[in-house]
Each structure stands twice: as C-alpha cells, then as structure tokens.
Amino acid sequence: TLGTIPWSYSYDVFPAVWFGGSKTHWESAAQLAELGKYSLAVLGWQHLTEAGDWDAVVYLQLSQAAGIKRVNPLLPVFCYASLGWAFAQNAAVLPLMSNPMYASFFLQSTDGPEYSKTNCQQMDSNNPRCIGWFWNFANSSARNYYVEKVVLPLATAT
C-alpha cells in the first residue's frame, strides 16, 4: 500500500510540476512568484551548471530552492541528486575519480570505469566535469562514502 505524500497536492493543478533546467540563470523574482501555481518544483541536475562552472552545482541549487521556499513557503521543492551516477560536478565525487585508490567505488570495464557523457550531450558541453561514472554499491565502502560525503552534506546544508 502506498502511503500519503507529506504535502498538499491537487490533481486539479496542471501542469503539476515545474522542472528547473536553466544552465546559466537564476530565476528572477517574477519567475519565483510564478512557481506558486505548481504543486511541486524540482531543480534538475543541469540547473545552474554553467553558472557554477560545473563545480558543486547542487549547493547553488539548494540556494535557489531556499529562494523558491521564501516566496512560496508551502511549495515542496526538490533538488535532483542522482543515486546511481557519480557526477564529477559533485565536489565530493571529483577527487575520487582521479585517485586510483577509489577505483573499486565505481563499476569497471576492461579499459576503465563505466561512464556516460549523456549529460554532456544534453548540455552540449565539453567541460571535464561533465561526466558520470556509475557507483559500485556492491562495495560497502562506496555506499558508506556516498551516504556520508554526498547525501549527508546535502541533507544538512542550509
């Protein structure tokens, strides 16, 4: 049985979700006010990537989320943080990618880590941080690192 969602939601609202994906610009005051007509706001992984030079972008997104909440305090706001992908644009991930000691934290093929640049293709970018490796969650140390260094700082960020 599915539980109830922890915020007010109406199926009468359409479109129901606003998905932020501006790679270059913060939302203006007028745009922030407009978001109140939605039932949910999500800041996508690509939101503010270029504004933040592809570095620790999720913290810019959290700042944008706080701005949305100031204007629309009842609106649920989420920031996308990938579970399976280890994005180099995450400050806690990039150092692991250049240190062979952490190779077992990522899925490996015969010629190196399994990766995708689909995010680069979507953004038409050649930035070196525009790459995603795949976490090896069969490795308990990788799982612990992910929770302690990727998830926990996001959960406690203000």
Side-chain angles (χ1 to χ4, degrees), residues 26 43 47-48 51-53 55-65:
W26 294 76
L43 298 172
H47 195 71
L48 300 173
D53 194 29
D55 183 27
V57 174
V58 73
Y59 293 101
L60 293 178
Q61 295 168 354
L62 289 171
S63 293
Q64 178 78 91

Side-chain angles (χ1 to χ4, degrees), residues 35-99:
L35 296 180
K37 70 181 182 182
Y38 297 94
S39 294
L40 177 68
V42 178
L43 298 172
W45 66 266
Q46 68 276 58
H47 195 71
L48 300 173
T49 50
E50 289 186 7
D53 194 29
W54 291 82
D55 183 27
V57 174
V58 73
Y59 293 101
L60 293 178
Q61 295 168 354
L62 289 171
S63 293
Q64 178 78 91
I68 294 169
K69 291 297 281 185
R70 276 191 298 279
V71 176
N72 303 287
L74 300 178
L75 181 68
V77 180
F78 292 85
C79 292
Y80 177 85
S82 179
L83 173 63
W85 284 57
F87 282 128
Q89 71 186 33
N90 186 313
V93 173
L94 185 61
L96 301 182
M97 294 174 139
S98 59
N99 187 335

Side-chain angles (χ1 to χ4, degrees), residues 22 63 116:
S22 174
S63 293
S116 174

Side-chain angles (χ1 to χ4, degrees), residues 84-86 92-93 96-97 99-108 113 133-146 149:
W85 284 57
V93 173
L96 301 182
M97 294 174 139
N99 187 335
M101 185 173 92
Y102 295 102
S104 67
F105 279 32
F106 306 102
L107 297 180
Q108 301 289 321
W133 291 4
F134 295 90
W135 287 107
N136 177 11
F137 285 138
N139 179 332
S140 63
S141 294
R143 288 192 310 268
N144 291 339
Y145 184 90
Y146 177 80
K149 303 294 185 185

